[in-house]
Amino acid sequence: MLFASLRGFAPNGPAADPAAVLETFLRLLGVAGDRIPHGVDARACLYRQLLAGTGALVVLDDAADEEHVEALIPDDPTCRTLVTGRRALHSLSGAIRLPVAPLAPVDSVEVLRQTAGADRVTKGTTAFYRIAEDLGHLPLALAVVGRHMREHPGWTLDDYYREPVINLALEDGVRGAIAASDARLGAGAQRLLRLLALHPMHRTDTAGAAALAGERDETTRAHLKALSAAHLVVEAESGWFRTHELVRAYAEERICVDMPGTVIRQALGRVSAHCNADRAARNKAPTRAGLPVLRRLNRTEAWAESLIPRAGSATRVLAA
């Protein structure tokens, strides 16, 4: 087996150079340093010749995009290649794509058990399930919070309620992982990601997102697809997109830094008008089912008004 960490979305340092990865692979395959050719194409050719008929497994972890792995994939049918990445690699010919879902609740608690210590988990299993739910059952966030629990025995489980546990996960690694994905987005998708923090619900359809962005549905749909491909929103069902708690918290931070108050106020006005119009079209009056949306909209408006004085300020520094 050959393994390489490609660091495609590493928060610090550059991604691995395919030429350097090929040099390492060739050395592992027994090629002396003075016999390794120069250039990616020549190295890839020799690499594939040496792997022919071996049935080797090649694992390429954290690929940035298709171009990042193209030279590293054997062309022999007896070999297998496993590529992992944070964005969907749709252009890899002949690839079988396997989306990785969040962990099951019981597996999430097991991650916490292993990192925090079994004694803490057995004392409050119900609370651990709640914490895992707040973190969206994401392994990196679970490991971060589990380590914090192990290193801070004075914290009770009640101390890890929703806002602190999300802030802890962002502070120690998760923010950097999200920021690395964010940095590879186009300007329009980046802008929409931040504006989604203003939506009163954690899911939206294209029309609601378009109201936030002040753009045509077609343009907004393309941005949502880009965010989905980067796993920054989840296409939960046909036509609906859900924002994870951790991503939403990151977007709330970034909107204060990246957008002026006038833009935030305009976007909030558009989404408020959209929500009210949608409610009126469906119900004519705020029914019992519609009340949670109205309450969230009121809370969102109050929160957005509180951040407008800070928006665009260079005095607020965030580690991204």
Side-chain angles (χ1 to χ4, degrees):
M1 185 186 80
L2 296 173
F3 172 87
S5 176
L6 300 182
R7 294 179 52 83
F9 289 85
N12 300 308
D17 183 356
V21 174
L22 284 167
E23 179 179 356
T24 300
F25 281 174
L26 289 172
R27 290 180 184 274
L28 291 172
L29 291 169
V31 181
D34 59 353
R35 302 294 301 274
I36 296 176
H38 295 288
V40 172
D41 292 342
R43 290 179 180 182
C45 182
L46 178 57
Y47 161 72
R48 286 166 177 155
Q49 289 174 4
L50 293 173
L51 286 183
T54 64
L57 171 64
V58 179
V59 180
L60 306 172
D61 183 49
D62 196 15
D65 51 34
E66 292 86 346
E67 186 178 356
H68 202 191
V69 298
E70 185 176 357
L72 305 174
I73 298 177
D75 58 2
D76 186 273
T78 68
C79 296
R80 296 291 182 270
T81 307
L82 176 63
V83 181
T84 70
R86 294 186 191 171
R87 62 178 297 274
L89 305 179
H90 293 298
S91 301
L92 284 181
S93 178
I96 299 174
R97 294 165 187 82
L98 300 172
V100 180
L103 295 175
V106 65
D107 295 326
S108 297
V109 172
E110 183 59 28
V111 171
L112 289 171
R113 185 190 308 276
Q114 292 179 7
T115 52
D119 56 332
R120 295 207 71 181
V121 178
T122 55
K123 292 177 183 177
T125 302
T126 301
F128 273 86
Y129 275 102
R130 174 183 54 77
I131 292 167
E133 179 68 24
D134 289 340
L135 295 173
H137 305 288
L138 298 181
L140 176 58
L142 292 164
V144 165
V145 172
R147 286 195 299 270
H148 187 276
M149 291 177 175
R150 184 181 68 243
E151 295 165 2
H152 297 79
W155 283 50
T156 69
L157 292 183
D158 288 339
D159 292 325
Y160 292 93
Y161 57 90
R162 181 179 174 275
E163 186 173 350
V165 80
I166 290 174
N167 290 338
L168 284 171
L170 283 173
E171 188 63 28
D172 192 8
V174 176
R175 181 188 288 109
I178 297 172
S181 297
D182 178 34
R184 292 183 173 273
L185 296 171
Q190 281 188 333
R191 178 175 178 271
L192 179 59
L193 177 64
R194 285 142 180 79
L195 290 173
L196 286 173
L198 300 177
H199 199 283
M201 303 294 287
H202 284 202
R203 70 169 194 166
T204 181
D205 57 8
T206 301
L212 268 174
E215 296 180 330
R216 296 164 58 102
D217 283 6
E218 294 79 5
T219 303
T220 302
R221 190 175 296 110
H223 295 332
L224 286 169
K225 290 295 184 183
L227 291 172
S228 178
H231 302 292
L232 292 171
V233 301
V234 177
E235 192 166 2
E237 53 193 81
S238 179
W240 288 94
F241 296 85
R242 180 173 56 83
T243 308
H244 188 278
E245 290 277 9
L246 290 164
V247 175
R248 187 179 178 96
Y250 169 85
E252 289 177 356
E253 292 181 346
R254 294 309 314 176
I255 197 172
C256 295
V257 176
D258 299 331
M259 290 187 172
T262 52
V263 172
I264 294 173
R265 188 175 285 110
Q266 290 165 2
L268 185 62
R270 289 192 301 267
V271 76
S272 297
H274 171 79
C275 289
N276 289 330
D278 183 65
R279 174 179 55 79
R282 293 173 183 238
N283 304 309
K284 305 299 184 183
T287 64
R288 186 178 183 83
L291 287 176
V293 178
L294 293 178
R295 285 195 292 266
R296 290 188 183 98
L297 181 57
N298 291 334
R299 287 197 299 269
T300 302
E301 289 174 339
W303 168 78
E305 287 296 330
S306 73
L307 67 84
I308 284 173
R310 305 196 308 269
S313 173
T315 60
R316 179 171 179 175
V317 179
L318 292 174

